[in-house]
Amino acid sequence: MNNNEDDTMVELQTVNDDLRRERTTCTFDMEELTNFINGGAENTDKKRKIVDFFLSDPQFKDEVPLEYLSHQEQYEQAIRKSCILYKKIKECEIIMNSDIIEMNSAVWTYGIDIAVIKQYVPFSVHTVMFLPSLINQGTPEQQDEWVGRAFKNEILGTYAQTELGHGTFIRGLETTCTYHPETEEFILNSPTLTSYKWWPGGLGHSCNYAIVLAQLYTQGIHRGIHPFIVQLRDSETWMPMPGIKIGEIGSKMGMNTSNNGYLAFNNVRLPRMHMLMKNSKVHKDGTYEKSPHEKLTYGTMIFVRVLIVKSLVTSHLMKSATIAVRYSAVRRQSELKSGEREPQILDYQTQQYKLFPVIALSLMYTFAAKWLWNKYSAVTSQLEQGDLDQLPQLHAMACCLKAVGTTDASTSVTSCRLACGGHGYMNCSSLPNIYSLSTATETYEGENTVLLLQTARFLMKSYENVQMGNDMSTLETLSYLEKYKNLKQSPWTTVLDCMTNAFFQVAGSKIDDCYFTIKRLIDSGMTQEDAWNRTSIKLTQASEAHCRAFVIDIYVKTIETNQFSPELKSVLTQLGELICAQWILNKLGDFLQHSNLKPSNIHSIQCLLEDSLKRIRPNAVGLVDSFDIRDEILDSALGCYDGNVYERLLAEANKSPLNKAPVNRSFELYLKPFLKSNI
């Protein structure tokens, strides 16, 4: 035993005095906000029971922290824990009298998966992409064949779309699948190095099936991208099937237990019914039947982007805010007033400016995610009735919320890490891991710049409809395009309604500018494609402005339309004012150019920001406590509920393998001879 280890065995205090005192200053009922975030007191109670069921299991405890394991050991431990996790999901389904879909969603939404396996479950793509694709794109016969087995985890699948040479540009994928009517088989091939499938989670060694996106050829005609279900490994031996070349892509910045893989095909034969044919079909003789609605095939990608906003963005924001705010209440440093005790760093305005907007964003994206999830559920029901009218709006909002939300999350996690000083750089703070997970979301399931441009296409088409006098009232996220110019008639005030209108003015004006810029370029003889590329910077900015206006609007409407107590409503309003002020000051040129904000009003915005920080300060710890994140999910020496930061830092330090013995063997092998070498 390390001689220093006894020092870390000192019994921890109940709660740090500073943190305990912070909780007494809270002016609102924390449980009220917790219940609203969770969708009611009953859901809060259910969530706590589910979280406790999983995280109280000693099988998930780590004897050695993840960062001290080898790459292979990390993966093997993740597989062991994943198998236990999925067994417990089934047990919890029975105990909670729930269904397996809800239990899987709960594990994902509550952050249980990350608490158990720090850098992602190798089977996660099986749950969030493989299964939904079978359900949404398979015929009833195909669902009978595959869905039950996938639900029971008799087979484990992934979703193989991205290739070494092509990611977001799906139409450019190179994998081919050619139908041969004489044998009623498809032949799947990877004709180039760049056609290797690259990145699918779990593909490396964890899955034996995949839904593969490939270019379909029938009757000598190219039919475009279609999904195929392919067996990758033998179920008994786990050896690759004939013609399958498969492996893991290697170590990454994070997510190293997600087991991302590569995959290539050499004349792999598939029975005809291994093409998912709910939409498009290939008949026995090779006749191709086109889907009546091609956009339905994008359902899986929309679903995943909705999940990213619903779970990951808010989770990363809430966890990092909780860690940094609690630590800032405990940490005392420097002299604010000469001769007085070192103040809590949470009392410094610059620290508040780093952290309080992250609290606000946590709630703003939570509210926006609720809208997006409800819209997704409604549009899915409409699609089943053949109604596709709302699908473009859903797709556009899923794209821009994923893009802007994940960018804000990554920036916010960095702000929280910096707010924790050097301690925030330590793995035991959990902030490096949260950052590696959050920044990954900026590129997977659609690179953010490309997603903003996809939203921009929808905005340009919609604005053209406005110019033609078409009614936009059925598209709630675009109703402002018909009236944003009239909003400039009101005088500027620093209230939420006025500032919300300013965001709509900026968004509408930027969309208008892009539309007429492209039109002028085309009228001058430029091609549509070149005009689009020439305007692409402004198009991404228009999409971002559209998204931020939407987020602000949903937040304000949530405050106005729910029966919050006056105390909670006041705090939520302060958070909304803070974000409005910060976002306006960050893009001051846009608001001076496009809204009714005047140079003489800028001082009032700065004053509002500073005043908001001051008013939020007494409730900072109460707000992050209301996020209701257990210590096991935070996994942070800095963010623990009891605030015993320094005791936990020392305890974590002594888990290092280098502290197992007072002298490392390298001393005798290298250091001692070096010291005696007289170099």
Side-chain angles (χ1 to χ4, degrees), residues 27-215:
T27 63
F28 66 95
D29 180 0
M30 289 182 283
E31 197 76 355
E32 180 186 357
L33 180 53
T34 300
N35 291 337
F36 183 77
I37 291 170
N38 293 330
E42 185 178 337
N43 287 342
T44 296
D45 182 60
K46 187 173 184 178
K47 170 188 173 181
R48 289 170 178 167
K49 288 178 179 177
I50 291 172
V51 170
D52 184 66
F53 174 79
F54 285 94
L55 299 187
S56 61
D57 192 325
Q59 297 179 94
F60 293 137
K61 305 300 180 185
D62 291 329
E63 293 183 10
V64 180
L66 183 75
E67 55 266 26
Y68 298 122
L69 301 180
S70 71
H71 185 71
Q72 181 172 326
E73 288 170 335
Q74 288 185 27
Y75 169 69
E76 290 168 353
Q77 178 172 281
I79 288 293
R80 178 185 68 82
K81 287 184 175 182
S82 296
C83 293
I84 298 169
L85 179 65
Y86 274 67
K87 288 178 182 176
K88 289 189 72 69
I89 289 173
K90 183 63 179 176
E91 292 173 23
C92 195
E93 173 198 3
I94 297 169
I95 293 170
M96 300 300 295
N97 191 27
S98 185
D99 63 64
I100 195 71
I101 296 177
E102 184 181 358
M103 280 300 100
N104 272 308
S105 176
V107 167
W108 177 276
T109 303
Y110 301 156
I112 295 168
D113 55 338
I114 303 300
V116 171
I117 302 161
K118 313 302 182 197
Q119 295 195 14
Y120 274 22
V121 178
F123 307 156
S124 59
V125 177
H126 171 81
T127 303
V128 302
M129 295 192 77
F130 182 75
L131 257 169
S133 294
L134 291 176
I135 294 168
N136 295 326
Q137 298 188 48
T139 64
E141 295 78 16
Q142 290 173 322
Q143 292 179 25
D144 289 343
E145 173 72 19
W146 303 106
V147 172
R149 295 164 66 189
F151 262 122
K152 295 175 184 177
N153 297 314
E154 292 175 359
I155 60 173
L156 293 172
T158 186
Y159 190 87
Q161 175 175 293
T162 298
E163 295 176 355
L164 190 55
H166 287 87
T168 307
F169 182 52
I170 299 174
R171 285 183 290 128
L173 297 179
E174 298 176 82
T175 303
T176 63
C177 201
T178 305
Y179 183 67
H180 294 262
E182 59 275 14
T183 58
E184 295 185 25
E185 288 178 317
F186 294 101
I187 297 182
L188 194 59
N189 272 298
S190 303
T192 63
L193 173 62
T194 50
S195 68
Y196 274 50
K197 296 297 180 182
W198 196 270
W199 277 114
L203 175 61
H205 294 274
S206 309
C207 298
N208 61 338
Y209 278 82
I211 289 173
V212 175
L213 277 292
Q215 301 284 2

Side-chain angles (χ1 to χ4, degrees), residues 651-662:
E652 289 298 321
N654 281 317
K655 291 178 182 178
S656 169
L658 286 175
N659 289 325
K660 293 290 184 183

Side-chain angles (χ1 to χ4, degrees), residues 413-561:
V413 176
T414 296
S415 182
C416 289
R417 183 187 70 77
L418 295 174
C420 294
H423 293 332
Y425 192 68
M426 297 188 69
N427 280 322
C428 67
S429 76
S430 200
L431 291 167
N433 188 49
I434 296 173
Y435 177 75
S436 72
L437 298 179
S438 65
T439 194
T441 63
E442 295 184 88
T443 47
Y444 71 63
E445 306 310 329
E447 191 276 332
N448 281 357
T449 300
V450 176
L451 292 187
L452 289 174
L453 289 172
Q454 288 187 18
T455 298
R457 291 192 185 280
F458 171 71
L459 295 177
M460 293 300 101
K461 290 178 183 177
S462 300
Y463 199 62
E464 185 172 42
N465 285 328
V466 171
Q467 297 302 304
M468 295 169 62
N470 296 330
D471 182 19
M472 302 296 292
S473 60
T474 59
L475 299 176
E476 57 187 294
T477 63
L478 293 178
S479 58
Y480 71 91
L481 289 179
E482 297 176 320
K483 58 185 179 183
Y484 75 92
K485 293 179 181 178
N486 298 328
L487 299 175
K488 293 186 180 182
Q489 299 171 0
S490 304
W492 180 267
T493 58
T494 53
V495 298
L496 281 179
D497 284 345
C498 176
M499 290 188 288
T500 301
N501 286 341
F503 279 90
F504 283 132
Q505 292 163 19
V506 170
S509 298
K510 282 181 166 291
I511 292 168
D512 177 279
D513 180 35
C514 289
Y515 177 81
F516 284 105
T517 297
I518 292 172
K519 190 174 186 301
R520 282 194 301 271
L521 290 173
I522 292 173
D523 289 345
S524 70
M526 191 176 290
T527 65
Q528 168 74 34
E529 294 78 11
D530 286 339
W532 180 268
N533 186 47
R534 180 75 71 87
T535 317
S536 57
I537 294 175
K538 292 201 291 187
L539 286 164
T540 60
Q541 293 170 347
S543 292
E544 180 183 346
H546 170 71
C547 185
R548 295 199 185 281
F550 167 80
V551 170
I552 293 289
D553 186 49
I554 288 294
Y555 186 80
V556 173
K557 286 177 178 175
T558 301
I559 295 175
E560 292 175 346
T561 58

Side-chain angles (χ1 to χ4, degrees), residues 1-5 653-667:
M1 176 181 289
N2 185 332
N3 292 332
N4 293 330
E5 193 167 331
N654 281 317
K655 291 178 182 178
S656 169
L658 286 175
N659 289 325
K660 293 290 184 183
V663 179
N664 183 261
R665 63 176 186 155
S666 63
F667 174 73

